[in-house]
Amino acid sequence: MPLSREPRLRPVAIADLRPTQITVGMREVEAKRKNWKSHPDYKKADFLGKHLIPVIWGHGERYYVIDHHHLTLALHKEGVKHIAVTVVADLRNLDEESFWFNLDNRGWMHPFDEKGQRRGYKDVPKKITELVDDPYRSLAGELRRIGGFAKDTTPFSEFLWADFLRRGVKRKLIEADFAKALERAMKLARSGDADYLPGWCGPLA
């Protein structure tokens, strides 16, 4: 039975949350850690209260994160043990295969690895700490931050951009010179080749 983003009054242990994707951009995780550290201690509780983590209440009575994986991992790395969640849907009555099938077909999961290859449901990590780094997701996140494309409501929009950049920017360049890789990414983002992507801000013909 779908719920209207019902907040859980009791915080949930981050260690018990299940991811619904395989990768994150670790550079972005580190940026969120830095942002968290910049908040005075007396403001941190307020920050957590304003950043509820959307989850699906699902198979095995577990909570499956469907957004803000980067923030959740960053908070965990900073020693935060519990976080408030908001339940988007209750799918506890489904068997495991039907549960994952529903997540997949409703845009609530992203089972692609750090090479952009689709994997099976069982390859999705069981813990937030097991998320894998995808440098192209970091590149896409930074590209959006500097105005390369606009924030969009399309699910996993930054992963779509990451996949696009994967075909035009060499991974070695990202690892050796992130700034130069970002320059290359901006040129690609402004080109007509990217006009199908959510949030495209390129020049109109």
Side-chain angles (χ1 to χ4, degrees):
M1 175 181 177
L3 303 175
S4 56
R5 290 186 176 263
E6 174 192 344
R8 301 292 294 171
L9 298 179
R10 294 182 180 178
V12 175
I14 293 178
D16 293 337
L17 293 173
R18 293 292 188 95
T20 55
Q21 61 194 49
I22 296 174
T23 68
V24 289
M26 288 299 177
R27 188 184 182 94
E28 188 167 333
V29 170
E30 291 305 311
K32 290 186 181 298
R33 291 183 68 181
K34 184 177 180 179
N35 180 59
W36 170 256
K37 290 176 182 176
S38 72
H39 287 78
D41 288 343
Y42 71 90
K43 287 189 175 181
K44 287 182 176 178
D46 184 56
F47 177 90
L48 292 176
K50 292 179 179 177
H51 292 78
L52 301 180
I53 303 302
V55 299
I56 303 300
W57 201 359
H59 181 72
E61 295 285 335
R62 300 183 182 95
Y63 293 110
Y64 293 79
V65 177
I66 59 171
D67 200 4
H68 303 317
H69 286 78
H70 291 80
L71 175 60
T72 304
L73 180 56
L75 291 172
H76 176 78
K77 285 177 174 285
E78 286 303 309
V80 177
K81 301 298 184 184
H82 296 82
I83 195 166
V85 301
T86 179
V87 178
V88 175
D90 183 350
L91 302 181
R92 287 176 294 167
N93 62 322
L94 299 180
D95 61 64
E96 185 173 12
E97 189 68 22
S98 297
F99 171 74
W100 286 111
F101 182 83
N102 268 269
L103 291 192
D104 198 354
N105 285 277
R106 294 169 76 171
W108 285 336
M109 69 176 301
H110 189 78
F112 292 81
D113 65 18
E114 71 278 11
K115 296 180 181 178
Q117 300 298 311
R118 184 181 174 89
R119 303 289 293 272
Y121 300 151
K122 294 186 182 300
D123 293 314
V124 177
K126 291 181 171 56
K127 294 182 180 296
I128 291 293
T129 54
E130 295 173 354
L131 288 164
V132 178
D133 181 35
D134 179 358
Y136 288 94
R137 176 58 183 79
S138 289
L139 187 62
E142 186 64 15
L143 179 64
R144 184 186 67 78
R145 192 188 69 80
I146 65 171
F149 62 95
K151 190 173 180 64
D152 192 274
T153 58
T154 302
F156 303 103
S157 60
E158 288 175 340
F159 279 103
L160 294 176
W161 277 92
D163 186 61
F164 169 72
L165 296 174
R166 199 183 307 277
R167 301 192 296 272
V169 182
K170 292 186 180 299
R171 179 166 180 154
K172 288 183 178 179
L173 180 60
I174 300 175
E175 295 170 345
D177 192 337
F178 191 85
K180 187 171 290 186
L182 191 57
E183 288 180 13
R184 171 64 178 161
M186 180 63 82
K187 290 180 181 178
L188 291 170
R190 297 297 188 189
S191 73
D193 291 340
D195 64 359
Y196 68 95
L197 289 165
W200 181 67
C201 299
L204 297 175

